[in-house]
Amino acid sequence: MHIIIFNTKGGVGKSTLCEYSSRQLQRLGYAVSVSNTDQQQHVNNIKNDGAQYHLYDTAGAFTEQNVKLLKAARNVDAKIIIPVCTGKNDAYEVDFVLEQLQAYGVKDKAWFVLSKTRANCLSTKLRRIELLGTGVPVAKWTLPLLEDFSEQRDTLRTCAEMNKFLNELVLL
Ligand SMILES: Nc1ncnc2c1ncn2[C@@H]1O[C@H](COP(=O)(O)OP(=O)(O)O)[C@@H](O)[C@H]1O
Ligand SMILES: [Mg+2]
């Protein structure tokens, strides 16, 4: 299965989600590959043609490589995970992201994940309602705002959060 973590907005937690979920999948014993279309290369690439899960971290911009990846997703078992934060600008970007998914025929493979926020705060609840209005499903799980994530520390808490993410969206 191919898991593409995509949002043309930067700073929404794409690389963090990619890195932590790849580590957790490996801890659980799965074979994983990781590719990165981001020139800044924040994520460690792992080459593994026989991987059960192929993860893709993408550049927070509208690049040729991102287009290639979206087009390729069309004909394979793929999920496009779109982390979205609760800010105003994050909402504007969602419309643009959806236009692209529509243009490349992969909107039905998309899932929103609320990112870098608290699951039960008002701004999260309001953003969830907005996102649901687009017709794209929104994960129940939210990537919580946690120092352990920003400091790249694997802790019981980050592992538990990744398990929740993987169980809801990846390990089916
Ligand atoms: N859940 C989180 N809690 C706290 N900080 C986070 C979280 N996710 C990401 N960050 C921090 O936010 C910044 C942007 O995250 P990053 O994963 O690089 O986003 P993107 O790849 O979308 O640009 C980084 O400094 C990262 O450490
Ligand atoms: Mg990144």
Side-chain angles (χ1 to χ4, degrees):
M1 186 187 210
H2 300 267
I3 304 289
I4 300 166
I5 304 175
F6 179 70
N7 188 337
T8 43
K9 189 160 191 324
V12 297
K14 294 183 294 293
S15 300
T16 303
L17 189 56
C18 187
E19 190 85 51
Y20 276 81
S21 57
S22 98
R23 282 206 294 270
Q24 190 61 15
L25 278 167
Q26 290 174 81
R27 228 176 262 125
L28 293 171
Y30 295 100
V32 173
S33 81
V34 178
S35 328
N36 187 353
T37 69
D38 191 347
Q39 305 299 323
Q40 295 179 349
Q41 297 284 341
H42 287 308
V43 156
N44 297 314
N45 285 312
I46 301 173
K47 192 169 166 18
N48 183 350
D49 293 337
Q52 292 156 287
Y53 294 99
H54 300 269
L55 306 183
Y56 303 84
D57 184 29
T58 62
F62 190 46
T63 65
E64 209 173 299
Q65 265 188 306
N66 280 350
V67 169
K68 241 167 122 179
L69 198 57
L70 291 180
K71 282 184 177 165
R74 202 159 156 176
N75 303 314
V76 294
D77 183 18
K79 218 168 235 180
I80 301 167
I81 308 284
I82 310 163
V84 178
C85 299
T86 56
K88 241 188 201 166
N89 292 338
D90 294 278
Y92 300 139
E93 199 76 18
V94 163
D95 295 335
F96 180 61
V97 167
L98 286 175
E99 273 172 36
Q100 289 175 54
L101 298 181
Q102 186 92 48
Y104 299 109
V106 290
K107 195 176 163 190
D108 59 326
K109 296 181 188 257
W111 278 81
F112 287 120
V113 165
L114 287 150
S115 186
K116 294 171 67 175
T117 183
R118 282 183 291 131
N120 290 317
C121 70
L122 182 62
S123 58
T124 303
K125 288 179 182 166
L126 293 174
R127 182 54 42 89
R128 179 182 294 281
I129 292 167
E130 274 172 42
L131 292 176
L132 283 169
T134 67
V136 169
V138 184
K140 287 198 200 90
W141 178 76
T142 296
L143 174 63
L145 190 65
L146 269 186
E147 253 173 50
D148 291 342
F149 282 119
S150 67
E151 292 174 3
Q152 291 290 310
R153 265 190 283 147
D154 282 302
T155 57
L156 284 177
R157 181 87 195 267
T158 60
C159 292
E161 290 299 338
M162 284 304 110
N163 278 337
K164 287 188 219 166
F165 165 67
L166 295 172
N167 282 321
E168 184 178 357
L169 291 182
V170 179
L171 303 169
L172 301 173

